[in-house]
Amino acid sequence: MTVKLGLVGTGTVGGGCIDILKNHREEFKRHYGIDVELARVCSRNPEQAIEHGVEDIFTQDFHDILDDSDIDIVIELIGGTTVARDVVLGALRAGKNVVTANKALMATHGEEVMRTAEEAGKEIAFEASVGGGIPIIDPMKHSLIANRIDSVMGIVNGTTNYMLTRMAEDDMPYADVLAEAQAKGFAEADPTADVDGLDAAAKIAILASIAFNSRVTIDDVHAEGIRNITPLDLEIAKDMGYCVKLLAHAHRTEEGIDVRVHPTMLPLSHQLATVNGVYNAIYVVGDAVGETMFFGEGAGSGPAASAVMGDVLEVARHLQAGIPPFVGCTCTDKLPLVPMEELKTKYYIRFAVADRSGVLAAMAGVFASHDVSVHSVIQRGKKDGNSVDITYVTHTAREKSVRAVLADIAKLDDVLREEPSVIRVED
Amino acid sequence: MTVKLGLVGTGTVGGGCIDILKNHREEFKRHYGIDVELARVCSRNPEQAIEHGVEDIFTQDFHDILDDSDIDIVIELIGGTTVARDVVLGALRAGKNVVTANKALMATHGEEVMRTAEEAGKEIAFEASVGGGIPIIDPMKHSLIANRIDSVMGIVNGTTNYMLTRMAEDDMPYADVLAEAQAKGFAEADPTADVDGLDAAAKIAILASIAFNSRVTIDDVHAEGIRNITPLDLEIAKDMGYCVKLLAHAHRTEEGIDVRVHPTMLPLSHQLATVNGVYNAIYVVGDAVGETMFFGEGAGSGPAASAVMGDVLEVARHLQAGIPPFVGCTCTDKLPLVPMEELKTKYYIRFAVADRSGVLAAMAGVFASHDVSVHSVIQRGKKDGNSVDITYVTHTAREKSVRAVLADIAKLDDVLREEPSVIRVED
């Protein structure tokens, strides 16, 4: 049996999939007995189809693929939650298996997609939606399932990791680094999804759902990005033995699931601390396995196509062996979410304040009034000579208390000179 | 359908499996619909069975498990290649699926085990044989199969990684570190398998077979251990921007498979360089995915049991769904092995030599006579005042030429004061 594939989307990742099929189709047959054939390709862009030499099987209408009874697996690589949703749900309802790289779709409409797949008796696979080429969803759904997963922390956005690395290593301000990332093609013209942590939020929603067997959507994830991070913060962090990463967190706590994305200070000895540039890594803690980490390229044609085609070959193998659809939705529990205000962690807070007597005492009073206990204070003069940077690291405190501290300090008369930098500290 | 398990071996890993079943059996049912029951336990040691509360299902004769027609999956955790081979082959022939953590068996008799499984139409799974709890075999056999794997490099022996870390960080000599590792239970009374690289050789044989779809056995692997490594070498390496790891290598080359285990100098910026202590990590390069790395605890009760039970639950899921055995032997190719003498790499060689004129010139002559081109030479006086350390780093050279250099320098009259330290350099 030859398993027939319908590809929707011929951008970077789609092109990578076409390349893999061209290069390795014979090996898939010889090594694994898996026989796959690219039968139909859909794109809005006929030029891309010609570029990849697939003009003879090309269409601009995805319905041609959904309506083609020969197609066994539909590969959705157009992204977004509108047309992509129609393609994915339509394909499943038309009795086709689906492989997608679409994090936004799975983090927003995951429940609907999983339910539709189960009703249709078809498979849905989405390894490429998180961490590019890094195998993470499959290991969590298979190799690690004997564990109660307690924690998932990931550097899952290559753009911001590249920017933070560049800021730290080359002392470049945010705006310059963003412009460079855009020039190099690492960041979009509208960088919002990356720099505000929304891309990472979608990914951690997917991972949290799998890790805790409880549905988490992108709307459940508190997301803060890196716009307020300065090279000075990175320098101070380094002096304290830390690095700063935009980290996606998902922790199992007694109160429920704690899931969030924000800049995080990590000890330089942490395994995630050496993950630099455009690389991604996901750190998973299970009750039996202990600490594990999965590292690799988080984006790009080859890595993402590796994950997509891994899924395609797995589904094709099932079809050839006559295996019924394999893993349905595993969100069997309904765990509560911990509200962000209830978060308990340590905080790094840098204030640029007026350089005059009484300021430090006034600020200390505010911290005390909200029961936020301070671990250390560092004062450094600013270059302008009129203001100083005062950096606090707190003991473990509650988010809502720290927010109250920030609000009250903002109200102090003629004290603050800039927006404070707030970075949560993971020890 | 309840899938019945027969466990052979109640040591560290077996105990971990019993714990996982006690803690999580209900979750496996609720989340994944997988229902497993520990039906029979075999051990030479009745006290361990009592300790784990399984005396009612205990036997000292593994044939009781092989002959029990109710048992669906046999878990072999006794290790070695004699009785374990009888258990594994006997179980397969008796129509049972097998999960094993046995690297020696799979690296020595892998072909026989795979063939027996295929003939019997049963599954054989062995994730725990490499890297303890780290998912590596399953990701290579599934998530990464769309790739041509070009390289696998692993820190796959926790004992020696602990010892090298301790030597480097605390300037302790080999013998002291070994004694400490033995006292802490990280090293066996007879440490040969670990310190001579044989344990790592078995593991890389298994990984190479999967990566290159070509059978590699432990006898094919050139193995050197860490007995000759001194803190001085680690210090010099660090000054040069390198660390030293006992690395298991498997590379695809134009001449064939290059597979070997030996101390290796790695740049400090390499992702494997920060893997310290008893941790393991496996670095895999594929043509589509690029660089990936899998990190975690390489040994111990919980991690190994996590991998074993991951396999058990996967096989149980297949049995419940009526799925025929899944992946047979994938060694469909017969690639040649590159003989060790033909290896081309860079070398670090430290000689302790007599401190007198003419020595350096004589040695330079030997390097030149075998066409081994030297990149750098560092000379440092020894504390005894009578000898000096001369450390060469070569350009890429052939192993047989370097061996000829070593042999000729050993023959120089009254020059060498100690065995030279030879460490291959990976850039």
Side-chain angles (χ1 to χ4, degrees):
Chain A
M1 170 195 179
T2 300
V3 174
K4 302 221 166 157
L5 314 178
L7 173 64
V8 185
T10 53
T12 314
V13 186
C17 291
I18 295 171
D19 288 344
I20 287 178
L21 281 164
K22 270 188 204 155
N23 296 334
H24 295 317
R25 191 181 163 194
E26 292 308 311
E27 279 101 331
F28 299 152
K29 264 195 247 183
R30 188 170 80 244
H31 298 323
Y32 314 113
I34 304 173
D35 186 13
V36 285
E37 180 194 332
L38 188 59
R40 211 76 205 261
V41 174
C42 172
S43 169
R44 283 191 305 190
N45 188 339
E47 282 172 23
Q48 286 182 343
I50 294 166
E51 191 186 311
H52 294 299
V54 291
E55 59 269 38
D56 52 323
I57 51 171
F58 172 73
T59 173
Q60 280 186 286
D61 182 354
F62 73 82
H63 293 97
D64 288 343
I65 290 181
L66 269 49
D67 294 342
D68 183 340
S69 61
D70 280 351
I71 303 278
D72 303 296
I73 303 174
V74 172
I75 306 169
E76 182 276 301
L77 299 174
I78 53 179
T81 56
T82 54
V83 180
R85 178 165 164 267
D86 294 341
V87 171
V88 167
L89 296 178
L92 291 168
R93 288 181 186 135
K96 300 180 187 320
N97 300 279
V98 173
V99 173
T100 176
N102 195 325
K103 63 206 166 243
L105 182 68
M106 294 309 294
T108 311
H109 302 293
E111 193 167 1
E112 182 184 27
V113 171
M114 299 301 279
R115 196 182 56 240
T116 306
E118 286 194 65
E119 285 167 4
K122 297 294 157 187
E123 295 202 44
I124 169 80
F126 48 97
E127 179 64 70
S129 64
V130 181
I134 305 171
I136 178 64
I137 290 176
D138 198 70
M140 284 176 68
K141 285 197 164 193
H142 296 275
S143 311
L144 297 177
I145 64 165
N147 288 266
R148 185 193 66 230
I149 302 293
D150 292 318
S151 218
V152 180
M153 292 197 299
I155 296 169
V156 288
N157 181 273
T159 305
T160 47
N161 202 49
Y162 169 82
M163 290 174 64
L164 288 172
T165 302
R166 199 87 167 91
M167 284 166 76
E169 289 180 357
D170 304 290
D171 194 26
M172 283 168 71
Y174 172 85
D176 294 2
V177 169
L178 175 59
E180 183 192 78
Q182 285 170 323
K184 286 193 174 186
F186 295 163
E188 313 271 335
D190 174 3
T192 308
D194 291 325
V195 302
D196 288 340
L198 307 177
D199 171 82
K203 290 166 178 169
I204 199 68
I206 294 170
L207 294 180
S209 299
I210 298 168
F212 306 138
N213 299 100
S214 184
R215 175 69 51 196
V216 177
T217 69
I218 188 168
D219 294 334
D220 297 326
V221 185
H222 173 90
E224 293 172 26
I226 65 165
R227 289 185 199 260
N228 293 330
I229 302 291
T230 67
L232 177 62
D233 296 313
L234 304 183
E235 188 190 323
I236 297 173
K238 196 176 170 192
D239 289 346
M240 295 165 59
Y242 288 83
C243 65
V244 177
K245 297 289 182 189
L246 181 65
L247 221 60
H249 293 255
H251 305 281
R252 185 193 294 274
T253 76
E254 283 182 17
E255 292 81 35
I257 300 174
D258 160 24
V259 56
R260 50 195 156 96
V261 172
H262 51 69
T264 305
M265 278 174 55
L266 275 178
L268 288 171
S269 59
H270 195 283
Q271 201 60 35
L272 284 168
T274 54
V275 176
N276 289 323
V278 295
Y279 282 94
N280 279 201
I282 299 122
Y283 172 89
V284 180
V285 181
D287 66 338
V289 76
E291 299 172 68
T292 56
M293 194 181 83
F294 303 80
F295 165 92
E297 291 181 47
S301 166
S306 164
V308 169
M309 289 307 301
D311 277 348
V312 167
L313 294 171
E314 192 68 22
V315 176
R317 174 144 63 181
H318 297 178
L319 292 175
Q320 289 188 301
I323 292 173
F326 214 44
V327 184
C329 182
T330 54
C331 291
T332 44
D333 292 348
K334 283 193 189 298
L335 301 177
L337 289 153
V338 180
M340 191 63 190
E341 310 83 63
E342 300 303 322
L343 175 69
K344 280 184 283 189
T345 189
K346 296 174 183 174
Y347 293 78
Y348 160 104
I349 313 170
R350 181 176 58 81
F351 299 95
V353 298
D355 186 11
R356 58 178 160 74
S357 66
V359 166
L360 206 58
M363 292 173 75
V366 174
F367 276 91
S369 71
H370 294 287
D371 272 338
V372 174
S373 167
V374 170
H375 172 264
S376 65
V377 188
I378 302 168
Q379 179 168 336
R380 291 167 37 143
K382 271 226 186 288
K383 285 182 191 135
D384 64 15
N386 296 322
S387 60
V388 291
D389 281 305
I390 304 185
T391 304
Y392 293 85
V393 177
T394 72
H395 287 291
T396 298
R398 232 180 242 286
E399 177 82 13
K400 63 180 167 195
S401 308
V402 171
R403 289 188 189 176
V405 167
L406 291 168
D408 283 0
I409 287 179
K411 281 184 226 152
L412 291 177
D413 191 36
D414 189 31
V415 165
L416 281 195
R417 291 286 176 265
E418 294 169 13
E419 274 292 288
S421 287
V422 181
I423 307 177
R424 295 172 191 84
V425 183
E426 183 78 28
D427 264 328
Chain B
M1 171 195 179
T2 300
V3 174
K4 302 222 166 160
L5 314 178
L7 172 65
V8 185
T10 55
T12 314
V13 185
C17 291
I18 295 171
D19 287 345
I20 287 177
L21 282 163
K22 271 188 202 153
N23 295 335
H24 294 316
R25 192 182 162 195
E26 291 309 311
E27 278 101 331
F28 300 152
K29 263 194 249 186
R30 187 169 81 246
H31 298 323
Y32 314 112
I34 304 174
D35 185 14
V36 286
E37 179 193 333
L38 188 59
R40 212 73 204 263
V41 174
C42 172
S43 168
R44 282 190 309 188
N45 188 338
E47 282 171 22
Q48 286 181 342
I50 294 166
E51 190 187 311
H52 294 299
V54 291
E55 57 270 39
D56 51 323
I57 52 171
F58 172 74
T59 174
Q60 280 186 284
D61 182 354
F62 73 81
H63 293 97
D64 288 344
I65 290 181
L66 269 50
D67 295 342
D68 184 340
S69 62
D70 281 351
I71 302 279
D72 302 295
I73 302 174
V74 172
I75 306 169
E76 182 276 304
L77 299 175
I78 54 179
T81 56
T82 55
V83 181
R85 178 165 165 267
D86 294 341
V87 171
V88 167
L89 296 178
L92 290 168
R93 287 179 186 136
K96 298 179 188 324
N97 301 280
V98 172
V99 172
T100 177
N102 195 324
K103 61 200 167 244
L105 182 68
M106 293 310 294
T108 312
H109 301 294
E111 193 167 0
E112 182 184 28
V113 170
M114 299 300 280
R115 196 181 56 238
T116 307
E118 285 194 64
E119 285 167 4
K122 295 295 158 187
E123 294 203 44
I124 170 81
F126 47 97
E127 179 65 71
S129 64
V130 180
I134 305 170
I136 179 64
I137 290 176
D138 198 67
M140 284 177 66
K141 284 195 166 194
H142 296 274
S143 311
L144 296 178
I145 64 165
N147 288 266
R148 183 194 66 228
I149 302 293
D150 292 319
S151 215
V152 180
M153 293 199 296
I155 296 170
V156 289
N157 182 273
T159 305
T160 47
N161 202 48
Y162 170 82
M163 290 173 64
L164 289 172
T165 303
R166 200 87 166 92
M167 284 166 75
E169 288 180 357
D170 305 289
D171 194 26
M172 283 169 69
Y174 172 84
D176 293 3
V177 169
L178 176 59
E180 183 191 80
Q182 286 170 324
K184 286 194 174 184
F186 294 163
E188 313 271 337
D190 174 4
T192 309
D194 291 325
V195 301
D196 289 340
L198 307 175
D199 172 82
K203 291 166 177 168
I204 198 68
I206 294 169
L207 294 180
S209 299
I210 297 167
F212 306 137
N213 300 98
S214 185
R215 176 68 53 196
V216 177
T217 70
I218 187 167
D219 294 335
D220 297 325
V221 185
H222 173 89
E224 292 172 28
I226 65 165
R227 287 185 200 260
N228 293 331
I229 303 291
T230 67
L232 178 61
D233 295 314
L234 304 184
E235 189 190 323
I236 296 173
K238 196 176 170 192
D239 289 347
M240 294 165 59
Y242 289 84
C243 66
V244 178
K245 297 290 182 189
L246 182 65
L247 220 61
H249 294 255
H251 305 281
R252 185 192 295 271
T253 75
E254 283 183 16
E255 291 81 34
I257 300 174
D258 160 25
V259 55
R260 51 198 155 91
V261 173
H262 52 69
T264 305
M265 279 174 55
L266 275 178
L268 289 170
S269 59
H270 195 284
Q271 202 58 32
L272 284 166
T274 53
V275 176
N276 289 322
V278 296
Y279 283 95
N280 279 201
I282 299 123
Y283 173 87
V284 180
V285 180
D287 66 339
V289 76
E291 299 174 66
T292 57
M293 194 182 83
F294 303 81
F295 165 93
E297 290 184 46
S301 167
S306 164
V308 169
M309 290 307 301
D311 276 348
V312 166
L313 294 172
E314 191 68 22
V315 176
R317 174 145 59 180
H318 297 177
L319 293 175
Q320 287 188 303
I323 291 174
F326 213 46
V327 184
C329 182
T330 53
C331 291
T332 43
D333 293 346
K334 282 193 189 302
L335 300 178
L337 289 153
V338 180
M340 191 62 190
E341 310 84 62
E342 300 302 323
L343 175 68
K344 279 184 284 189
T345 188
K346 295 174 184 177
Y347 293 79
Y348 160 105
I349 312 169
R350 181 176 57 81
F351 300 95
V353 300
D355 186 10
R356 58 179 160 73
S357 67
V359 165
L360 206 57
M363 292 171 76
V366 174
F367 275 92
S369 72
H370 293 288
D371 273 336
V372 174
S373 165
V374 171
H375 172 263
S376 65
V377 188
I378 303 169
Q379 181 167 335
R380 292 169 35 142
K382 271 222 184 292
K383 285 182 190 134
D384 63 15
N386 296 321
S387 61
V388 290
D389 281 305
I390 303 184
T391 304
Y392 294 85
V393 177
T394 72
H395 288 291
T396 299
R398 233 179 240 291
E399 175 82 13
K400 63 180 167 194
S401 307
V402 172
R403 288 187 189 176
V405 167
L406 292 169
D408 283 0
I409 286 179
K411 281 184 226 152
L412 293 177
D413 192 35
D414 189 33
V415 165
L416 281 195
R417 291 287 176 265
E418 291 169 14
E419 274 291 289
S421 287
V422 181
I423 307 177
R424 295 171 191 86
V425 182
E426 184 79 27
D427 262 327

